[in-house]
Amino acid sequence: MNGYNVAILGATGAVGGRLISQLAQSDIPVKNLRLLASKRSAGKTLKFKDQELTVEETTPNSFKNVDLVLASAGGSVSQKFLPIAVKNGAVCVDNTSAFRMDPEVPLVIPEVNRQALKKHHGIIANPNCSTIQMVLALEPIRQAYGLKQIIVSTYQAVSGAGQAAWNELLHQAQQRLNNEPMTAEITPVKGEAHHYPLAFNLLPQIDVFEPDGYTHEEWKMIHETKKIMLDDMDSPEIKVTATCVRVPVELGHGESVYFTVDDKTAKPSDLRRVLEGFPGIVVQDDPDEQLYPQPLTAAGKRETFVGRLRADAENPGAFNMWVVSDNLLKGAAWNTVEIAECLVKDGLI
Ligand code: NAP
Ligand code: 3JM
């Protein structure tokens, strides 16, 4: 084979731009690349390697002769177009939540459950950004010491809410510096009844609320974690609970993760050792040197950074740690391209 025909759906977005650059850096042989978005962006040009490519409006015909689709244009767009792409013979890696809980669809972090790719029927789902970095940091610990419970609080960057929300945060910050009232039309969630400024603020709402008082983002973290680690979105084997908060950071989600392990003799130094040997993880943990992960230092990197690892002094087998990763790279575009690389290497396209 002299290369694949690839389409990027949502190519003009915050994730889409990174899908283009991660694909350019990958070892996937690309014969032809199609950049797809809505009618609004049709005709714009974007660079892939040294080629200037024109963005096209997405229609059902966009998927003829396409081998691989990398999708990141929102759940309803994936729901509409990916089944058409599959019918046309393409394999799709989807960044949205549209198919993540479908039992026929593998939900994959390559370092954790690459083997699940073998069961695909045309669509593979990329997990939520907050799920990916937490599960990647907990999997080596689960493998070595067993995992019983996870209590996570997230500190999620505005870029996770899309380019328009990111622009709005910068505008709000400028308004504050100009001593003008801050305005909000998107943050915390586009389309909701109420909007609040995120600049110099914290908003404990990501995605819409469910009747039980949790947000959809919090339930995504719970179900996705169980599906990836235990292959059962409702498994009681590991208890998971989450609080998701949007913070006025541009790029890079932070997470405070409290967890308990089966092996009550495990020490922080044991956990640090298994984390250090795991692919995709970098331990940054030296209080004497004030070394710990930060969004500013994680932005632009593919790895997930772990620090502040310490035992709960009052509860044997319980620990706290702090996890940071670039939400648009390992949380989205890099994990998607990494999945595609695995599909190519494993002969699954
Ligand atoms: P964004 O910056 O708002 O970009 C949205 C993209 O979707 C743009 O390219 C837009 O094209 C395109 N689009 C919108 N409506 C479309 C339509 N009807 N047909 C075709 N294309 C359409 O958002 P983003 O941050 O890149 O995120 C996009 C999606 O990726 C999110 O909705 C989410 O589902 C997923 N995501 C997942 C993760 C993760 O955790 N894995 C992280 C972030 C995002 P135009 O330029 O024409 O408007
Ligand atoms: C829609 O930071 C975030 O808001 C999470 C990323 C995101 C998702 C997702 O991947 O779960 C933003 C907007 C979705 C979605 O597809 O549900």
Side-chain angles (χ1 to χ4, degrees):
M1 162 153 258
N2 61 355
Y4 296 92
N5 293 325
V6 182
I8 294 181
L9 177 54
T12 51
V15 177
R18 285 158 178 84
L19 283 171
I20 296 171
S21 55
Q22 293 299 309
L23 181 66
Q25 291 166 49
S26 84
D27 47 24
I28 298 170
V30 179
K31 190 157 67 183
N32 178 60
L33 177 63
R34 228 173 209 187
L35 301 182
L36 304 173
S38 79
K39 202 175 183 165
R40 289 180 293 274
S41 299
K44 268 191 190 167
T45 57
L46 293 171
K47 244 186 139 155
F48 173 70
K49 297 184 178 170
D50 55 1
Q51 301 170 54
E52 207 60 63
L53 300 177
T54 304
V55 176
E56 299 167 49
E57 180 186 355
T58 315
T59 71
N61 286 330
S62 307
F63 302 96
K64 295 221 163 97
N65 289 319
V66 171
D67 306 304
L68 172 67
V69 179
L70 308 178
S72 198
S76 57
V77 180
S78 283
Q79 243 147 12
K80 179 171 172 194
F81 289 111
L82 297 195
I84 298 171
V86 173
K87 260 199 196 124
N88 279 278
V91 175
C92 307
V93 188
D94 184 29
N95 241 294
T96 79
S97 54
F99 299 98
R100 287 182 193 147
M101 286 308 125
D102 184 330
E104 297 289 302
V105 173
L107 182 65
V108 175
I109 305 170
E111 295 84 349
V112 177
N113 64 337
R114 179 176 182 161
Q115 74 291 346
L117 291 174
K118 287 191 203 125
K119 295 188 285 186
H120 86 75
H121 300 284
I123 299 177
I124 296 100
N126 193 79
N128 172 269
C129 38
S130 300
T131 309
I132 293 178
Q133 65 182 67
M134 180 181 81
V135 170
L136 186 57
L138 284 172
E139 178 63 11
I141 294 167
R142 185 180 81 88
Q143 285 176 13
Y145 301 103
L147 199 56
K148 273 175 129 91
Q149 184 172 22
I150 306 165
I151 302 172
V152 58
S153 296
T154 70
Y155 301 64
Q156 294 182 223
V158 72
S159 51
Q163 192 61 56
W166 190 348
N167 296 345
E168 189 177 68
L169 170 68
L170 296 176
H171 182 61
Q172 290 163 354
Q174 195 60 61
Q175 287 176 317
R176 177 69 194 92
L177 296 179
N178 292 345
N179 262 324
E180 294 162 11
M182 291 194 283
T183 53
E185 283 164 17
I186 300 171
T187 54
V189 180
K190 196 176 165 191
E192 281 279 81
H194 301 283
H195 297 284
Y196 313 109
L198 177 62
F200 307 100
N201 202 9
L202 298 170
L203 297 174
Q205 181 189 358
I206 299 184
D207 213 329
V208 296
F209 278 98
E210 300 286 350
D212 61 10
Y214 281 77
T215 61
H216 193 54
E217 182 84 351
E218 289 160 354
W219 275 114
K220 281 186 247 176
M221 286 195 79
I222 296 165
H223 289 309
E224 292 180 21
T225 298
K226 290 168 188 258
K227 178 166 172 176
I228 299 162
M229 284 183 158
L230 307 165
D231 203 16
D232 174 2
M233 64 176 270
D234 292 312
S235 173
E237 201 177 306
I238 300 174
K239 290 191 267 178
V240 187
T241 189
T243 301
C244 292
V245 181
R246 190 72 75 193
V247 300
V249 164
E250 289 185 82
L251 256 183
H253 290 353
E255 294 180 344
S256 169
V257 187
Y258 181 85
F259 59 96
T260 59
V261 298
D262 293 327
D263 182 350
K264 291 206 181 334
T265 67
K267 297 186 294 296
S269 56
D270 300 324
L271 304 194
R272 227 172 261 123
R273 197 165 355 92
V274 296
L275 281 163
E276 274 164 354
F278 206 74
I281 301 244
V282 174
V283 176
Q284 291 181 326
D285 197 7
D286 188 351
D288 292 343
E289 295 294 330
Q290 286 177 276
L291 178 68
Y292 37 73
Q294 301 167 41
L296 278 181
T297 51
K301 312 245 167 63
R302 285 177 166 179
E303 292 85 1
T304 291
F305 300 88
V306 183
R308 301 294 321 278
L309 181 60
R310 61 217 189 272
D312 178 347
E314 301 190 336
N315 188 6
F319 300 87
N320 280 293
M321 68 179 174
W322 172 245
V323 183
V324 178
S325 194
D326 185 322
N327 51 300
L328 297 183
L329 289 183
K330 187 58 184 168
W334 164 234
N335 199 66
T336 296
V337 170
E338 194 185 9
I339 288 172
E341 282 185 352
C342 293
L343 290 168
V344 169
K345 282 182 196 143
D346 298 350
L348 294 167
I349 296 190

